[in-house]
């Protein structure tokens, strides 16, 4: 397996991949083959890997608690590796090609800082419910705790009254 990893690393370097990508893909491919060797009970050559193996590895990563982004990056590394293997070893199909990634949950809005909250309330005339939604709060009570007006805000409000 070391022979394949060294040649794959050289291929990635020739493709001008970043050192971070190179290191991550090399680690991910090595971890996959270590995991597979433990399951099968012997070293497995890249041309022996099946889509079932890749899918079960993906499932293992999910059960292990890896984030969807991590699982999907590892699958991307395996796809790249097996594309290279199929190209260099001739023939066959990529066993990782049709293994679906893990769905990533919807991203919640990033929390706004106090200045951004103020600007939203002031310029967009946003009410507390809208600000709560922007902050990702389920309750406007939580939002109210974080958006209490300061003394300057209170003085300005009194001045506007008249």
């Amino acid at each position: 397996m070391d022979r394949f990893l060294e040649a794959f690393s050289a291929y990635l370097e020739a493709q001008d991949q970043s050192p971070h990508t190179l290191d991550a893909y090399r680690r991910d491919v090595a971890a996959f083959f270590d995991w597979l060797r433990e399951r099968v009970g012997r070293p497995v050559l890249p041309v022996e890997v099946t889509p079932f193996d890749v899918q079960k590895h993906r499932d293992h990563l999910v059960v292990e608690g890896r984030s969807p982004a991590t699982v999907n990056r590892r699958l991307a590394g395996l796809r790249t590796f097996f594309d290279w293997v199929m190209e260099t070893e001739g023939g066959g199909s990529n066993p990782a090609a049709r293994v679906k990634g893990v769905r990533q949950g919807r991203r919640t809005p990033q929390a706004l800082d106090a200045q951004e909250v103020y600007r939203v309330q002031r310029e967009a005339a946003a009410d507390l419910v809208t600000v709560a939604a922007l902050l990702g709060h389920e309750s406007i009570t939580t939002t109210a705790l974080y958006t209490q007006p300061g003394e300057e805000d209170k003085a300005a409000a009194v001045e506007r009254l008249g």
Side-chain angles (χ1 to χ4, degrees):
M1 193 58 221
D2 290 339
R3 170 178 72 91
F4 284 103
L5 282 176
E6 288 175 23
F8 178 58
S9 295
Y11 164 78
L12 291 175
E13 287 175 13
Q15 299 297 313
D16 202 27
Q17 294 290 335
S18 76
H20 176 73
T21 299
L22 206 156
D23 184 51
Y25 280 12
R26 187 175 29 232
R27 251 190 353 261
D28 295 343
V29 170
F32 169 75
F33 279 97
D34 288 344
W35 174 87
L36 188 57
R37 185 181 63 248
E38 289 176 17
R39 298 303 173 282
V40 175
R42 66 172 176 80
V44 178
L45 292 172
V47 294
E48 297 177 283
V49 174
T50 67
F52 177 82
D53 298 327
V54 177
Q55 185 175 9
K56 289 301 174 186
H57 183 65
R58 180 206 58 201
D59 296 346
H60 163 76
L61 294 171
V62 170
V63 169
E64 201 176 53
R66 304 294 178 164
S67 73
T70 297
V71 173
N72 292 338
R73 191 212 63 229
R74 289 185 179 191
L75 286 173
L78 290 174
R79 285 186 196 102
T80 302
F81 174 75
F82 286 113
D83 278 343
W84 170 79
V85 167
M86 297 306 131
E87 184 179 306
T88 59
E89 296 296 308
S93 62
N94 182 336
R98 295 189 184 217
V99 175
K100 293 183 179 182
V102 178
R103 289 193 69 197
Q104 297 191 32
R106 290 184 59 187
R107 291 188 153 197
T108 57
Q110 295 294 316
L112 304 176
D113 63 26
Q115 183 181 35
E116 292 168 325
V117 169
Y118 180 83
R119 286 182 50 220
V120 167
Q121 288 177 311
R122 181 174 185 268
E123 295 172 21
D127 59 9
L128 199 56
V129 173
T130 302
V131 174
L134 288 170
L135 292 172
H137 295 162
E138 292 184 20
S139 165
I140 62 170
T141 305
T142 304
T143 308
L145 293 173
Y146 292 100
T147 58
Q148 292 297 317
E151 292 304 316
E152 290 178 21
D153 298 322
K154 291 177 189 175
V158 170
E159 274 187 43
R160 284 193 300 272
L161 290 174

